[in-house]
């Protein structure tokens, strides 16, 4: 199903959605974004996505020229036009804007704002029932002193190169290590392993995107009576894990059952993953 796009307030079908080649988002990859989805036609965890968008903007010295309420209204208008007939995928992008070929932000006083809306497409049921196979890639996650992974940046080359390698090797996803050799996250999702009933995920300090699903899972775990906490993880922790799963807005929790041709746990989605998933979905659909 084609997307409906709002470019600086002009809503059109995707084929008519255009942006200048002099936009620094295109020229230099200077921009930030958020991906949200709806449950019962309402964007889930909108406030948290806005908080992360504002933090990403601050980290690239970009002033966002709208309030949360104003952006919410633009999203609603775009969604109404899109008429997706189901739940919606919503991508919000803000770029530096159009200007001379210089890195000086004064050359680009007006950011470009793009909202893409299309139907939310879930992974196939088999992916949840059987789990997915992933690989550990040798593309290293950005060092936090380069393009900090805390920024949800439109400049996705680091993850794109890692993703290409994962695809070449037949993996559903690629797990990236940091410059110290510790596990960080997948190319489009966060990573969790389960050891002795506890769900563990690498700390933000390891250099990874602060996923909204990841963050929400700490609260879901508390309510479900399952400990969810941060811990530095290495390859062996993953290989020896009882269970593993990835998290993202569009895929919720997706079980990982094989890494680099090594079976994780029983080779089937485990009980802790399933309980967290049930609890997560209950929250999402009743939000
Ligand atoms: C690199 C990376 N890590 C993690 C995530 C998951 O974040 P969220 O749960 O906010 O969707 C994403 C989602 O796009 C991502 O691109």
């Amino acid at each position: 199903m084609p997307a409906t796009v709002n470019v600086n307030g002009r809503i059109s079908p995707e084929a008519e959605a255009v942006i200048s080649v002099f936009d620094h988002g295109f020229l230099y990859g200077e921009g930030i974004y958020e991906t949200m989805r709806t449950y019962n036609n309402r964007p889930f965890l909108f406030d948290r996505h806005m908080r992360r968008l504002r933090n990403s903007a601050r980290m690239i010295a970009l002033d966002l020229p709208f309030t949360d309420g104003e952006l919410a209204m633009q999203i609603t208008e775009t969604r109404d036009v899109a008429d997706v007939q189901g739940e919606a995928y919503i991508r919000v992008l803000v770029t530096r804007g159009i200007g001379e070929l210089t890195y000086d932000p004064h050359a680009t006083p007006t950011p470009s704002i793009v909202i893409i809306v299309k139907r939310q497409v879930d992974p196939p049921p088999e992916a949840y029932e059987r789990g997915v196979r992933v690989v550990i890639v040798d593309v290293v996650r950005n060092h936090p002193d380069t393009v900090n992974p805390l920024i949800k940046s439109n400049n996705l080359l680091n993850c794109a190169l890692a993703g290409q390698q994962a695809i070449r090797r037949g993996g559903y996803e690629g797990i990236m290590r940091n410059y110290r050799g510790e596990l960080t996250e997948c190319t489009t999702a966060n990573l969790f392993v389960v050891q002795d009933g506890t769900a563990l995920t690498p700390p933000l300090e390891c250099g990874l995107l602060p996923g909204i699903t990841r963050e929400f899972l700490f609260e879901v775990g508390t309510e479900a009576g399952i400990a969810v906490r941060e811990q530095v993880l290495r390859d062996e922790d993953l290989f020896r894990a009882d269970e593993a799963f990835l998290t993202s807005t569009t895929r919720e929790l997706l079980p990982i059952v094989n890494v680099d041709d090594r079976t994780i746990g029983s080779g089937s989605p485990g009980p802790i993953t399933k309980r967290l998933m049930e609890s997560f979905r209950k929250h999402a659909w009743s939000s």
Side-chain angles (χ1 to χ4, degrees):
M1 185 197 176
T4 299
V5 188
N6 180 328
V7 181
N8 295 320
R10 183 181 175 274
I11 302 173
S12 73
E14 66 177 42
E16 292 163 32
V18 289
I19 198 125
S20 165
V21 295
F22 289 100
D23 192 296
H24 286 207
F26 178 76
L27 285 170
Y28 306 136
E30 277 193 83
I32 53 170
Y33 77 105
E34 280 298 318
T35 299
M36 298 173 226
R37 62 152 291 176
T38 62
Y39 289 90
N40 299 316
N41 296 316
R42 281 193 300 274
F44 185 49
L45 303 176
F46 177 77
D47 293 350
R48 298 184 197 218
H49 282 283
M50 287 309 299
R51 191 192 63 214
R52 186 171 63 184
L53 186 72
R54 290 193 184 283
N55 192 52
S56 297
R58 188 184 55 74
M59 291 181 78
I60 67 164
L62 178 68
D63 289 331
L64 295 183
F66 49 75
T67 63
D68 292 7
E70 284 164 349
L71 185 69
M73 234 150 65
Q74 289 283 322
I75 290 173
T76 304
E77 277 176 33
T78 314
R79 202 154 47 83
D80 286 349
V81 174
D83 190 22
V84 292
Q85 311 274 329
E87 300 303 334
Y89 163 101
I90 302 159
R91 192 176 180 108
V92 175
L93 303 94
V94 187
T95 69
R96 185 73 71 192
I98 299 165
E100 284 302 316
L101 282 80
T102 165
Y103 292 139
D104 183 355
H106 293 107
T108 47
T110 313
S112 301
I113 304 159
V114 175
I115 302 166
I116 300 172
V117 176
K118 54 184 185 169
R119 189 185 302 148
Q120 158 68 18
V121 179
D122 298 325
E126 310 86 76
Y128 292 103
E129 285 154 19
R130 292 195 215 131
V132 294
R133 176 184 179 280
V134 306
V135 294
I136 301 177
V137 296
D138 53 26
V139 175
V140 173
R141 189 72 173 109
N142 280 343
H143 188 293
D145 289 335
T146 59
V147 179
N148 194 324
L150 291 175
I151 305 166
K152 195 161 171 69
S153 160
N154 288 344
N155 185 331
L156 286 164
L157 259 186
N158 182 219
C159 291
L161 292 176
Q164 283 175 23
Q165 188 183 121
I167 291 164
R168 271 199 307 275
R169 291 171 50 195
Y172 171 83
E173 253 289 7
I175 296 172
M176 304 169 79
R177 304 184 190 93
N178 66 13
Y179 66 101
R180 295 191 294 251
E182 299 151 352
L183 301 179
T184 62
E185 61 180 330
C186 303
T187 65
T188 61
N190 289 111
L191 173 70
F192 286 77
V193 305
V194 177
Q195 282 175 2
D196 303 321
T198 299
L200 304 167
T201 191
L204 297 184
E205 185 273 324
C206 284
L208 50 113
L209 183 80
I212 302 296
T213 319
R214 170 190 183 277
E215 175 188 297
F216 193 58
L217 214 60
F218 292 108
E219 293 152 49
V220 169
T222 304
E223 246 188 66
I226 296 168
V228 180
R229 60 180 172 80
E230 292 183 332
Q231 184 173 299
V232 173
L233 299 171
R234 295 184 168 275
D235 292 13
E236 313 79 72
D237 297 305
L238 182 56
F239 293 134
R240 279 197 236 110
D242 301 324
E243 305 172 30
F245 60 91
L246 58 85
T247 61
S248 88
T249 295
T250 53
R251 285 161 299 178
E252 304 172 322
L253 282 71
L254 200 53
I256 295 171
V257 293
N258 186 293
V259 182
D260 288 352
D261 293 327
R262 294 161 78 152
T263 302
I264 305 301
S266 67
S268 297
I272 297 287
T273 307
K274 285 185 185 163
R275 274 173 58 199
L276 284 170
M277 178 62 166
E278 261 170 45
S279 218
F280 177 87
R281 283 190 171 154
K282 223 186 284 166
H283 274 283
W285 286 107
S286 62
S287 63

